Amino acid sequence: MTTQVSSDNTADTLPATEDSPSSVLYVLFISSVAAIGGFLFGFDSGVINGTVTALGNAFNSNDVTTGFNVASVLLGCAIGALMAGPLSDRFGRKPVMMLTAIIFAVSAFGSGISASSAEFIFYRLLGGLGIGAASVLAPAYIAEVAPPAIRGRLATLQQLAIVLGLFVAFLSNYLIAVTAGGAEASFLLELPAWRWMFWVELIPSLLFLAGIIFIPESPRYLIAQGKTEQAKGIFKRISKGAENNQIAQVEQSLRGDHKPGLKDLFLEGQKKIHPIIWVGIALSVFQQFVGINVVFYYGAELWQAAGFDESQSLFINVLTGTTNIISTFIAIALIDKIGRKPLLLIGSLGMFVSLAALTYIFGASGFDQAGKLALSEDMGTLALIMANLFVVFFGLSWGPVVWVLLGEIFNNRIRGAALAVAAGAQWLANFAITMTFPILLGSVGLSGAYGLYALSAFISIFFVVKYIKETRGKSLEAM
């Protein structure tokens, strides 16, 4: 496989090398282990879906408290994301990933044993630290070990792992609820089913911890720490024959005068944040403001509000998770062929149309005697189609492509810290959307909420056209 890319930039060119099957498999293996952090990120985000009503009843929560039970994890995510970059720049990607795996396990166990809303929120905040850290570490690590020619496809492993985590959470929630007779019904050991929904996460948490033992440290981090020989050995396994050139490019990009730090986020000699940081923040915010996580966090409640019962709503979640996985595979097939920017544009247009349709459907429907939204059979079917089309367009574009770009657009000096800032902004935006949905549902209804998400998708079209540059095929040192 040739790793040579555009020849008009010497920093963007690597000597042609033949990647052996063993080196490709090795890169795939270490990238897949890192992506387990994304799986846990997805599972921990999705497991709350289907437990919201049970938690509200168990802890006697009102709408605002219920919203915070769900959204509290996102505050932890923002803190974890902001901390992960500087910590990984100081101690390395691998040690911080190991700590993240431990945090996931403790959070999963603690969420399941919680006896009060305060205790539950504490463990969810702790889990948020792990999710936030994983959202920074996985794309950074994968971008730093992947050859340019296949980096896009490998980087989408992060999003694939996230959607697989969401799907497994939805599926395990559904199976546990159906077996027990509901999320609040007794399950194994006569404990409520919702507790077991959280405990399932212990399995991938321990697998992640075990897998990290067998992967190397990021070679680009090692060079930043002056450990060139160790980095050379890793580069040799990743792409034999190009290791010396790769080391030279990384050293040049770091300029060798000091180790990466938060001060590198500012323009040299100025107090202004580098413009590329704002692009990363905007990518993160738009990804959340289209409302995708309302579907993932509140899916069961959303479809119950639209007239479906609990069992039907949980099954719709499984269908949504399946749709998300399929669309992510489409992104994997296309991202290194047609590029990042075209996929974002397609996604923005598709999300706007499907969200606008949902806004109309929910706005045109009537209400039952209990005051709940009542969709006719035809409207209900159309709503399901539009909701899944929304997930398709998100899954083939803004879902995976944002994580790929965040791993690519920042240079070696600022990648850890810049990813931390961008991911922190993403989690704060996610918190705002998640916290406000129950409030919007009670005030302006589903139509009003989806109208705001449709507006965000519309604005994102113009953002992509003006501010996003194509990164397909370029080396990280050329960014």
Side-chain angles (χ1 to χ4, degrees):
M1 183 185 297
T2 300
T3 55
Q4 181 171 324
V5 287
S6 59
S7 59
D8 59 340
N9 188 334
T10 57
D12 195 22
T13 306
L14 294 174
T17 62
E18 290 297 323
D19 295 333
S20 67
S22 61
S23 67
V24 173
L25 287 174
Y26 179 67
V27 173
L28 180 61
F29 167 71
I30 61 178
S31 298
S32 297
V33 171
I36 296 175
F39 180 93
L40 287 161
F41 163 0
F43 190 100
D44 205 81
S45 299
V47 70
I48 195 74
N49 193 334
T51 68
V52 176
T53 301
L55 289 170
N57 293 334
F59 303 144
N60 297 316
S61 305
N62 56 30
D63 285 346
V64 175
T65 306
T66 296
F68 197 73
N69 282 338
V70 178
S72 59
V73 67
L74 303 173
L75 292 178
C77 290
I79 298 169
L82 290 170
M83 291 174 61
L87 286 175
S88 66
D89 282 339
R90 182 174 181 181
F91 300 107
R93 284 31 169 169
K94 184 173 176 176
V96 182
M97 281 195 284
M98 293 189 76
L99 177 61
T100 299
I102 295 170
I103 288 173
F104 274 122
V106 173
S107 171
F109 181 74
S111 297
I113 64 170
S114 297
S116 68
S117 186
E119 187 179 357
F120 179 79
I121 288 171
F122 169 78
Y123 283 111
R124 290 296 286 168
L125 282 169
L126 186 64
L129 294 177
I131 297 174
S135 71
V136 171
L137 295 170
Y141 183 87
I142 293 171
E144 290 177 346
V145 300
I150 59 172
R151 189 178 60 239
R153 277 169 283 175
L154 286 175
T156 55
L157 285 174
Q158 161 78 348
Q159 180 65 17
L160 178 60
I162 292 171
V163 299
L164 283 172
L166 283 164
F167 173 78
V168 172
F170 295 158
L171 182 61
S172 65
N173 280 4
Y174 173 72
L175 293 175
I176 290 172
V178 168
T179 304
E184 298 177 70
S186 294
F187 191 48
L188 300 177
L189 302 178
E190 298 302 313
L191 294 169
W194 66 263
R195 297 188 185 276
W196 288 98
M197 293 177 180
F198 289 103
W199 288 336
V200 170
E201 190 182 349
L202 286 167
I203 299 171
S205 298
L206 296 176
L207 286 175
F208 186 36
L209 184 61
I212 294 170
I213 297 171
F214 298 100
I215 66 173
E217 181 54 84
S218 161
R220 286 174 168 86
Y221 165 78
L222 291 172
I223 293 173
Q225 301 300 308
K227 300 177 182 179
T228 306
E229 285 304 312
Q230 287 180 247
K232 185 175 181 180
I234 298 167
F235 273 135
K236 193 171 184 178
R237 292 200 65 181
I238 291 170
S239 187
K240 188 174 182 179
E243 60 267 22
N244 291 329
N245 188 275
Q246 287 175 316
I247 289 171
Q249 288 190 12
V250 175
E251 288 177 336
Q252 181 182 8
S253 70
L254 292 170
R255 297 196 297 274
D257 54 354
H258 66 276
K259 295 178 181 179
L262 288 172
K263 62 178 177 290
D264 293 310
L265 299 181
F266 295 86
L267 292 171
E268 193 169 347
Q270 301 182 43
K271 294 182 178 181
K272 294 182 179 179
I273 293 178
H274 197 290
I276 197 65
I277 307 297
W278 291 115
V279 173
I281 290 172
L283 277 169
S284 292
V285 169
F286 276 119
Q287 189 197 56
Q288 297 306 314
F289 274 18
V290 296
I292 187 65
N293 282 317
V294 166
V295 176
F296 293 145
Y297 296 164
Y298 291 106
E301 281 61 42
L302 188 156
W303 292 114
Q304 286 180 61
F308 295 88
D309 64 30
E310 182 186 42
S311 179
Q312 291 172 326
S313 298
L314 289 171
F315 184 69
I316 291 170
N317 284 343
V318 176
L319 292 178
T320 301
T322 304
T323 301
N324 203 8
I325 292 171
I326 293 170
S327 58
T328 302
F329 276 112
I330 296 173
I332 291 173
L334 296 178
I335 194 165
D336 282 325
K337 293 181 180 179
I338 70 173
R340 286 63 161 152
K341 185 170 183 174
L343 283 179
L344 286 181
L345 274 175
I346 292 168
S348 291
L349 288 165
M351 289 190 301
F352 168 65
V353 171
S354 53
L355 286 169
L358 285 168
T359 301
Y360 170 77
I361 291 168
F362 293 140
S365 299
F367 297 87
D368 62 18
Q369 293 180 344
K372 294 178 65 176
L373 188 67
L375 298 179
S376 66
E377 185 174 345
D378 289 342
M379 280 296 195
T381 301
L382 184 60
L384 280 174
I385 292 171
M386 287 297 110
N388 279 284
L389 274 178
F390 167 54
V391 173
V392 166
F393 282 110
F394 178 86
L396 63 82
S397 62
W398 282 81
V401 176
V402 167
W403 291 112
V404 173
L405 284 173
L406 290 180
E408 291 179 335
I409 62 176
F410 307 122
N411 63 49
N412 286 327
R413 178 174 299 284
I414 68 172
R415 184 171 299 112
L419 255 169
V421 171
Q426 183 172 132
W427 291 117
L428 289 175
N430 195 340
F431 175 80
I433 292 296
T434 306
M435 187 70 191
T436 56
F437 178 71
I439 300 170
L440 289 172
L441 190 61
S443 56
V444 297
L446 283 173
S447 179
Y450 273 78
L452 291 174
Y453 307 147
L455 177 62
S456 294
F458 181 70
I459 297 172
S460 74
I461 297 170
F462 301 97
F463 167 75
V464 173
V465 170
K466 185 170 183 179
Y467 293 106
I468 299 302
K469 308 298 180 184
E470 186 56 63
T471 59
R472 178 170 62 100
K474 293 185 178 181
S475 71
L476 293 185
E477 286 63 54
M479 301 301 174

